[in-house]
Amino acid sequence: MAKAIVVIVGGGVGGILTANLLAKHSKQIQVQLIDATGTHQYQPGWLRVPFGDYRPESLRYPIRRLLHPSVELITEPAKHIDTDARHVVLQSGKQVPYDYLVIGTGAYPHPEEIEGLAQGAHTFYTEEGALRLNQALQQFRGGRIVVGVAGFPYKCPPAPHEFTLLLDDWLLARNLRQQTELTFVTPINRLFPIETVAPVFENAFKERNICVETFFNTESVNSEKRVIASLEGTELEYDLLIMIAPHRGAEVVSASGLGDRGGWVPTDKQTLQVKGHENLYALGDATDLPVSKSGAAAHFEAEVVAQRLVEAVEGRTPQHLYDGHVMCMIETGGNKAMLINFDYQHPPRTPKPSHALKIAKGLFRRAYPLAVLKAPLTAGVGFFVRPGEA
Amino acid sequence: MLTSNRTIDARGSQCPGPLSELIRAMKEAELGEVIELWTEEPRTKTDAREWCEKAGHEFLGVESAEGYERIWVKKAR
């Protein structure tokens, strides 16, 4: 019997883990992974590049080295997905046929959507941006810093808050905190979207004298006058501005008519099938699922997608369902971190920051390529750490 | 029931999705336009009312529908 061909677009957490989980079934399934660059980036590490803690090179992994040998890697941008003809068209025009397709094409910041944001604001959401911010911080001698969220959605929701707390530590260590006014801006009326987690950040920001501007929907940035203005009519002057731009889905998704207005793939929240396409799956940041855009969500989704694909290829009715499980280790400054764990049914409990979790987070970063992506030792870990029971 | 110039169906979107959709629509709307928002998030009505107060827009009202709520907001500045 001919092998079923599963093509995966995107070499992020979801794509690589799905490929490696399917590789165990290489007798029935041939797996091909398409990635534009051939390099996997450990994006959570960019948070600490501005502080000089990590070099960007240490966060890059050649995808070939992360993949099971039986998985074929195609290093070329995917330009179009033709769901009628069942093939992916690459930049060169080459067509890659599939029986099943997995879309794991990610989310990307679009600063150009807000007037002046690209010119006036720093970011740590790209490797280049994180390095440029590192240089700006080294030259900073005190003044007004504004950090914040310029628009929803964006990936890794706690990252701007983590950054602000780490920045406070960094300024304190350099005797610059007293000369610095630190303000955090957010489009909504509380510091963090998840209600049970918001108080932890609110207390930490209060203790550290970090001003918070809620209902601040960034309308424009004037980089000459160094002023950021909100739709609500508030203006803030700054010497250093660090903003997270609203994200959109990948171009290939929109170009193929598979995305909604934001370029997100309409995805069934349990089966992870692309709505209206039985042989298409989507996972990670690329979807329109009502869960955080994070590597952990992509990880748990990859397990479900891989299991369902194996069931389908073996002629069984796919039964595994995604329950919305997400886990997040969050830096809270002062050498501490906290863990939140939740799914569709159970919101996270209010977490408690600890030194042990900070150490765990550091260890996770080191173990990540081997434990999470290459040899998925952690596959199935979700069953042991259920939200509400952890 | 109020009449609106535009309806945004944000059902299925979790917090803060519906409010973000409303704010984006208000940014694009003309002065005096009424936007209707459909949401399954029970918190959205309170958030939308608070946002209107801060941003200087008019919160016209909320009505329960089957499994969701309809919220009307008018661009006032």
Side-chain angles (χ1 to χ4, degrees):
Chain A
M1 201 175 82
K3 286 185 187 183
I5 302 170
V6 175
V7 172
I8 299 165
V9 189
V13 174
I16 293 176
L17 185 57
T18 304
N20 285 343
L21 288 168
L22 290 176
K24 288 180 188 168
H25 303 268
S26 57
K27 280 184 186 162
Q28 307 111 292
I29 302 173
Q30 181 191 336
V31 187
Q32 293 175 313
L33 189 143
I34 302 169
D35 187 82
T37 64
T39 301
H40 173 83
Q41 302 258 21
Y42 182 69
Q43 296 181 25
W46 289 341
L47 172 69
R48 290 175 53 183
V49 169
F51 306 112
D53 295 338
Y54 297 153
R55 296 291 309 156
E57 308 85 82
S58 70
L59 306 169
R60 289 186 216 134
Y61 300 95
I63 293 176
R64 182 65 269 170
R65 282 179 49 200
L66 299 173
L67 286 176
H68 187 278
S70 71
V71 178
E72 187 192 335
L73 173 66
I74 301 167
T75 307
E76 197 180 326
K79 297 307 277 186
H80 187 76
I81 295 163
D82 188 330
T83 54
D84 292 328
R86 294 194 173 192
H87 64 229
V88 179
V89 183
L90 303 177
Q91 195 170 47
S92 61
K94 191 188 160 198
Q95 295 172 356
V96 182
Y98 64 82
D99 295 311
Y100 297 93
L101 185 77
V102 180
I103 303 171
T105 43
Y108 304 88
H110 279 250
E112 76 286 354
E113 288 194 4
I114 293 172
E115 187 192 329
L117 192 68
Q119 299 75 27
H122 283 274
T123 180
F124 56 92
Y125 267 57
T126 62
E127 184 186 286
E128 191 193 6
L131 272 174
R132 203 167 70 88
L133 180 52
N134 173 250
Q135 287 162 7
L137 281 176
Q138 285 181 48
Q139 287 158 16
F140 185 76
R141 296 289 174 268
R144 291 156 301 190
I145 303 183
V146 176
V147 187
V149 177
F152 291 103
Y154 65 94
K155 58 189 158 192
C156 195
H161 308 73
E162 296 179 272
F163 177 85
T164 307
L165 293 166
L166 292 172
L167 177 61
D168 182 68
D169 281 353
W170 189 89
L171 292 165
L172 276 168
R174 279 153 191 81
N175 291 321
L176 289 169
R177 186 61 182 97
Q178 275 195 320
Q179 303 96 282
T180 305
E181 195 183 294
L182 193 49
T183 303
F184 188 91
V185 300
T186 173
I188 57 172
N189 55 347
R190 58 186 176 278
L191 194 47
F192 194 68
I194 302 173
E195 284 180 272
T196 48
V197 181
V200 183
F201 284 126
E202 280 159 11
N203 291 338
F205 277 46
K206 203 172 171 187
E207 270 171 26
R208 289 160 178 260
N209 206 17
I210 300 166
C211 308
V212 177
E213 278 284 338
T214 54
F215 276 148
F216 191 102
N217 283 275
T218 304
E219 186 167 42
S220 63
V221 174
N222 185 329
S223 51
E224 276 175 33
K225 290 184 180 164
R226 296 190 171 187
V227 172
I228 178 167
S230 80
L231 201 63
E232 293 80 8
T234 309
E235 288 194 350
L236 295 173
E237 291 179 323
Y238 66 82
D239 296 298
L240 185 63
L241 179 66
I242 303 141
M243 295 296 290
I244 313 309
H247 285 38
R248 302 288 166 243
E251 223 176 283
V252 63
V253 169
S254 302
S256 310
L258 288 169
D260 62 14
R261 212 157 62 98
W264 313 115
V265 183
T267 307
D268 185 280
K269 62 190 277 193
Q270 290 185 309
T271 68
L272 303 178
Q273 278 160 308
V274 177
K275 287 179 182 167
H277 299 270
E278 207 181 328
N279 63 332
L280 257 64
Y281 283 86
L283 44 62
D285 297 351
T287 71
D288 72 339
L289 294 178
V291 294
S292 307
K293 294 193 181 299
S294 75
H299 177 111
F300 295 129
E301 289 160 16
E303 294 177 9
V304 174
V305 169
Q307 283 163 330
R308 289 184 67 89
L309 284 169
V310 170
E311 287 167 331
V313 167
E314 288 178 349
R316 292 181 282 145
T317 306
Q319 290 185 34
H320 285 83
L321 299 174
Y322 178 56
D323 58 3
H325 192 186
V326 181
M327 236 186 341
C328 227
M329 268 195 272
I330 302 169
E331 301 258 9
T332 51
N335 233 4
K336 288 183 180 178
M338 61 184 177
L339 180 75
I340 59 170
N341 194 19
F342 53 103
D343 62 25
Y344 292 141
Q345 302 300 326
H346 307 85
R349 292 176 177 182
T350 301
K352 204 171 169 229
S354 77
H355 292 298
L357 281 164
K358 170 78 178 182
I359 294 167
K361 185 165 179 170
L363 289 173
F364 179 83
R365 210 273 292 174
R366 289 176 188 280
Y368 169 78
L370 198 67
V372 179
L373 297 175
K374 197 171 178 182
L377 300 173
T378 50
V381 73
F383 292 106
F384 301 102
V385 279
R386 301 302 323 146
E389 294 158 14
Chain B
M1 195 183 297
L2 291 152
T3 49
S4 56
N5 299 90
R6 190 179 151 194
T7 301
I8 305 156
D9 185 356
R11 291 175 298 178
S13 173
Q14 65 161 177
C15 185
L19 182 67
S20 298
E21 295 256 346
L22 175 69
I23 292 170
R24 189 203 286 226
M26 290 292 277
K27 193 176 172 179
E28 293 163 1
E30 302 285 333
L31 190 68
E33 265 189 59
V34 175
I35 306 283
E36 179 179 343
L37 176 73
W38 295 1
T39 174
E40 289 167 343
E41 277 279 355
R43 215 197 136 98
T44 309
K45 54 183 175 297
T46 324
D47 290 350
R49 191 189 294 270
E50 276 182 36
W51 181 75
C52 285
E53 269 171 35
K54 166 110 182 190
H57 300 301
E58 217 177 311
F59 184 91
L60 298 175
V62 57
E63 205 172 87
S64 288
E66 274 179 33
Y68 65 101
E69 284 176 317
R70 301 169 67 178
I71 294 165
W72 287 269
V73 167
K74 186 178 179 181
K75 180 144 173 163
R77 67 171 186 88

